[in-house]
Amino acid sequence: MRINYPGTIRIVRLPCTGKVDIIHILRAFEKGADGVYVVGCLEGECRFENGNLQARKRVDQAKMILDTIGIGGERVWMYNLSSSDGPRFAEYAVEMTEKIKELGPNPIKLAHKKKAA
Amino acid sequence: MSTRTPSKLEKILAAGHLAVTSECGPPRGSDPEAITRKAEMIKDYVDAINITDNQTSMTRLCSLASCIHLKKMGVEPTLQMVTRDRNRIALQSDILGAASFDIYNILCLSGDHQNFGDSAQGQNVFDIDSMQLIQTVRLMRDEGKFLGGDEIKRPPQMFVGAAANPFADPFEIRVPRLAKKIAAGVEFIQTQCIYNLEKFELWLKQARDRGLHEKVYILAGVTPFKSAGMAKYMKNRVPGMDVPDEVVKRMSGVPKEKQAQEGIDICVETIQRLKEVEGVKGFHIMAIEWEEKVPEIVERGGLYPRPKVVDD
Amino acid sequence: MIVAEKKPIEEIIDYVKDFQKLLIAGCNECVTVCEAGGKKEVGILASALRMYFMNEGKKVDIDEVTLERQCDHEYLEEIRDRIDQYDAVLSLACGVGVQFMAEKYFSTPVFPGVNTCFMGAAEERGVWSERCQGCGQCILGKTAGICPISRCAKRLLNGPCGGSTKGKCEISKDLDCAWQLIIDRLKELDRFDEYEQIMPIKDWSTERAGGPRKVVREDVRL
Ligand code: SF4
Ligand code: SF4
């Protein structure tokens, strides 16, 4: 099954969202990402017990930090879906892309450009 | 029993009468009349009046000054003293201050934690605890010495009391704890408000089994409910308070305008029942901001008139 | 271990906003274990600060280092040769490490990145609680191994008070009553009788009350 999702998204594969740390999310923004979303298994269906729950807490932490430093916490989200649910995956990708479009580019990227100019 | 101090309270107890004490909370301001007015209402119905020491950690006019106001009106005060706010220097100093005004009763307490009151961000002291405060007063009185070992000129002459809460947890420690306070030198006990009579009587029985009722005068604490709301509040919100469901039900079972009277009735019935229990040597009536009801409670409890004792 | 908590980023920004070259220094000991000031937290804070300044249009260089310990000369010396490159150091060590850093690098401003809380244990993942206040004369031998000084809200040596309710302290339903714990364990150890021995008034001169303390061991001095 091939499902189309917006080409602006770069996927980083991890064995479990429990591996996602706050620092990974922050680094992505530091490097200019406009948004980051973490897609984990449905809650209660983590193969490592609570990896996806941990991920959600870290996403919340990252949100808080991004809010504090003026980047905006809405740029990071956590989604859950069943591993076989391709269409839902694409739906979330579209939703996230819309959200980010509305928010505009990561201010860090703009700051980088200004510096370069 | 013979007496060791000039305390009227001690004399009444030693003479074998049921003693009656009450308590007044000082105002959150400096108006002395706030104390004298309350004392005036009850002075002929009680043997001594406790003055609370920044109870529930709300800052108030100090216990010592309030006791002096009582003393000036010819009423016998009991100085409550908590170890929360004073180190051993301040405690001993205030005891001497009280003694200089011939205040003859002291109630040694640890005090509520400051986080209940208006100064939750403040420090606490707890240099010593209530048990050790009992020891301190006894040392000062009986040996005429400071904790530091030096001699006291004109030592305090104080009848030493403490609180006991038969309803706090763990229950099994409550009698050993009483024994410990007695070993520390306590001479009278005022208990937490009693609503659960069975539990109180069980506690007292266990104390009797160890002969403790003969080593200390136990005054049973009572507080009339003003309303069903107050009963519920005390049941649910006040740590270490045991208000059985039946009592709350009884209060809620009468119409609002009759609840105050019901509260007083319960209080009087408690006194009448406990009067007959061996080991109860008197009553401590804590009518919180309801002092005007103390005379009625004392009279209906069969505790009036108060006995006269001769001064030495 | 010494338990610390991360300071709010706003507070940290306020400390360091006027500097151009910053070193964020973590510590590999207690604050790493309690996840407040180890390598990971240094990385997160550095990244957040970099983005903040970038966004503000400020050029601030931020370097990261995590020392084995900040309360020991040996490890603090490791940054001596480069300390002069920095306008300020943000230390994520406990208050001891921050001060030792400040003492050693006298002319470099040093700021704390964590709030140092207490000496405690890791009750479970993500939960730490106090166990000792360093009173200098340990009485655990008399209190069934449970410290009433650090764990009773009123540091009662002869507890429990009248507020102990269902095993919990009068100040919070989330806090065990230390004296309930002591009594339970005295019973377990078949030493319940000892409860009635009155604990004497404590000598607090070896505690904070006695002024700043020092331990000198002639036998281990060089
Ligand atoms: S008694 Fe003193 S040294 Fe021992 S655990 Fe408690 S505070 Fe620490
Ligand atoms: S309830 Fe227990 S821990 Fe809390 S202050 Fe009282 S004795 Fe201490």
Side-chain angles (χ1 to χ4, degrees), chain C residues 182-196:
Chain C
I182 292 171
I183 291 158
D184 291 347
R185 194 146 189 275
L186 278 175
K187 280 200 292 196
E188 178 68 27
L189 300 174
D190 223 359
R191 291 167 62 175
F192 187 56
D193 290 351
E194 286 176 26
Y195 171 77
E196 285 192 34

Side-chain angles (χ1 to χ4, degrees), chain B residues 19-282:
Chain B
V20 180
T21 57
S22 185
E23 84 184 29
C24 294
R28 305 203 72 208
S30 63
D31 180 9
E33 275 190 32
I35 308 148
T36 51
R37 216 181 308 120
K38 287 180 184 173
E40 202 58 57
M41 285 188 247
I42 62 177
K43 70 176 178 24
D44 298 328
Y45 295 83
V46 300
D47 307 320
I49 300 176
N50 287 34
I51 300 284
T52 53
D53 180 5
N54 297 297
Q55 200 169 16
T56 62
S57 302
M58 293 298 264
T59 313
R60 290 172 182 275
L61 195 154
C62 77
S63 176
L64 175 51
S66 309
C67 285
I68 295 167
H69 287 298
L70 294 192
K71 193 79 195 179
K72 279 179 15 196
M73 340 169 24
V75 173
E76 175 148 307
T78 297
L79 176 74
Q80 290 198 186
M81 189 172 276
V82 301
T83 62
R84 176 192 61 223
D85 309 322
R86 303 169 181 84
N87 69 0
R88 59 191 81 179
I89 301 173
L91 290 166
Q92 294 177 99
S93 166
D94 281 359
I95 289 167
L96 291 184
S100 76
F101 283 95
D102 292 330
I103 289 167
Y104 296 133
N105 306 305
I106 185 168
L107 193 79
C108 303
L109 305 165
S110 299
D112 299 312
H113 191 271
Q114 76 275 8
N115 90 335
F116 289 99
D118 64 358
S119 299
Q121 298 188 347
Q123 270 282 9
N124 55 36
V125 181
F126 295 119
D127 182 8
I128 67 177
D129 61 22
S130 58
M131 200 76 70
Q132 297 162 340
L133 181 58
I134 296 168
Q135 289 180 312
T136 302
V137 187
R138 288 296 302 264
L139 173 83
M140 292 174 78
R141 181 187 89 191
D142 300 345
E143 291 174 40
K145 283 198 177 136
F146 288 106
L147 286 172
D150 293 342
E151 185 197 325
I152 298 173
K153 300 198 179 69
R154 192 180 187 265
Q157 292 184 284
M158 287 179 177
F159 186 42
V160 182
N165 184 359
F167 311 106
D169 292 319
F171 180 67
E172 66 204 311
I173 207 72
R174 294 296 147 186
V175 170
R177 188 161 170 73
L178 176 67
K180 207 167 163 177
K181 285 195 175 172
I182 293 169
V186 80
E187 296 164 313
F188 73 97
I189 290 285
Q190 292 171 327
T191 76
Q192 172 70 290
C193 324
I194 301 161
Y195 300 106
N196 185 341
L197 281 83
E198 281 75 36
K199 195 155 185 186
F200 175 76
E201 285 170 359
L202 177 63
W203 174 78
L204 200 57
K205 183 190 172 301
Q206 292 178 357
R208 278 199 309 270
D209 290 345
R210 292 183 56 170
L212 299 179
H213 66 307
E214 274 157 5
K215 296 185 177 143
V216 70
Y217 299 109
I218 295 171
L219 311 191
V222 290
T223 292
F225 290 130
K226 271 185 178 170
S227 64
M230 175 178 172
K232 280 180 208 147
Y233 179 85
M234 301 257 273
K235 179 182 175 68
N236 299 321
R237 306 297 286 276
V238 182
M241 191 72 76
D242 182 347
V243 185
D245 289 330
E246 310 90 77
V247 179
V248 177
K249 231 184 264 159
R250 181 168 162 192
M251 284 299 293
S252 322
V254 295
K256 253 208 158 65
E257 63 292 352
K258 292 208 175 122
Q259 286 178 354
Q261 197 51 51
E262 194 71 15
I264 298 204
D265 290 349
I266 294 174
C267 187
V268 169
E269 289 163 30
T270 303
I271 291 176
Q272 282 163 344
R273 171 160 159 190
L274 294 181
K275 265 165 87 174
E276 308 304 324
V277 177
E278 189 189 354
V280 172
K281 300 286 165 58

